[in-house]
Amino acid sequence: MRGANPLKAMSQSKKLADMAHVKLGLAFKSAINEAGTNGTCYLVQPKDITLESHNILSGLARVIPESSPEPHYLIPGDVVLRLRGPVFSAAVVNQELDLPLVATNQCAVIRCDSSFLSPYYLQWYLNSTQGQRHFSSYSEGTNINKLNAKIVGDMDLLVPPLEVQKKIESIHSNWLAQKETYTRLIETGNLFFDQLCSQIQLGQFK
């Protein structure tokens, strides 16, 4: 067809469950308590995942799970998606930590088939405007801002060839790194100018 986009022609639309294993994280029967140095696992909670999350590494609670956590251990390349809105953001586990890592059952854990789908491409798509619009459509007209594993697995995903996915992955990763740099600069600038204005207010700077 004249004028057709050859890249789109090479892309395929597939259900996520056909290219990845989707399951819920570990269920906790009681309130989650930080166990400090006694903790046996790091825990990913919805609050740990934002649209700006480059990966899942720092600031995680250390806990002692009530049941055996081994079937729920995360590995590098797993995508963790928060299931409670209003923002259904995703992040990628990109390295092993000094303790096993698990997610709560308020998150979906997505393990991609690497022959079809890059986890970082999936992270970009889930966090993109089109991904967020897809999830938001499930809560329109209701007061329930949450998803489940079936909704996630049933989502249709436009999947280009892996080399194209890798290109998108690289662009997305570079932009997130730049945003982190800009955020640190802004935070440093805010602190400096706040201190400067306070010194002028108190007459300590002329």
Side-chain angles (χ1 to χ4, degrees), residues 32-188:
I32 296 171
N33 294 313
E34 169 80 59
T37 57
N38 294 322
T40 58
C41 293
Y42 287 112
L43 181 66
V44 181
Q45 302 175 72
K47 66 181 180 64
D48 298 315
I49 309 170
T50 69
L51 292 178
E52 285 73 39
S53 300
H54 200 173
N55 47 55
I56 300 171
L57 279 180
S58 60
L60 302 177
R62 293 173 63 156
V63 298
I64 303 174
E66 303 155 322
S67 57
S68 175
E70 290 189 30
H72 296 276
Y73 284 172
L74 305 181
I75 62 174
D78 283 348
V79 179
V80 185
L81 171 70
R82 58 182 295 171
L83 296 177
R84 292 186 179 273
V87 178
F88 304 101
S89 46
V92 181
V93 179
N94 76 340
Q95 70 180 58
E96 293 183 357
L97 303 176
D98 58 323
L99 290 175
L101 179 65
V102 296
T104 75
N105 65 343
Q106 294 181 353
C107 299
V109 177
I110 307 168
R111 189 163 295 171
C112 299
D113 182 338
S114 59
S115 60
F116 293 103
L117 185 61
S118 159
Y120 290 96
Y121 171 80
L122 178 61
Q123 178 199 22
W124 165 77
Y125 182 84
L126 295 175
N127 289 344
S128 70
T129 301
Q130 52 189 318
Q132 292 298 303
R133 186 184 300 122
H134 171 83
F135 291 138
S136 295
S137 67
Y138 285 93
S139 59
E140 288 182 0
T142 73
N143 294 321
I144 302 173
N145 276 339
K146 64 181 180 180
L147 306 172
N148 58 48
K150 186 178 186 308
I151 290 174
V152 176
D154 284 346
M155 75 179 297
D156 289 317
L157 186 68
L158 188 63
V159 186
L162 279 173
E163 61 268 23
V164 178
Q165 294 183 42
K166 295 293 185 182
K167 184 174 182 180
I168 292 173
E169 171 187 326
S170 177
I171 293 170
H172 184 232
S173 177
N174 288 337
W175 172 235
L176 288 179
Q178 289 183 56
K179 286 176 71 174
E180 288 179 2
T181 300
Y182 297 150
T183 298
R184 287 195 298 270
L185 285 172
I186 291 171
E187 289 174 350
T188 301

Side-chain angles (χ1 to χ4, degrees), residues 192 194-206:
F192 172 78
D194 182 64
Q195 291 176 341
L196 176 61
C197 291
S198 294
Q199 288 176 339
I200 294 174
Q201 178 193 37
L202 298 172
Q204 296 173 357
F205 186 92
K206 295 181 180 181

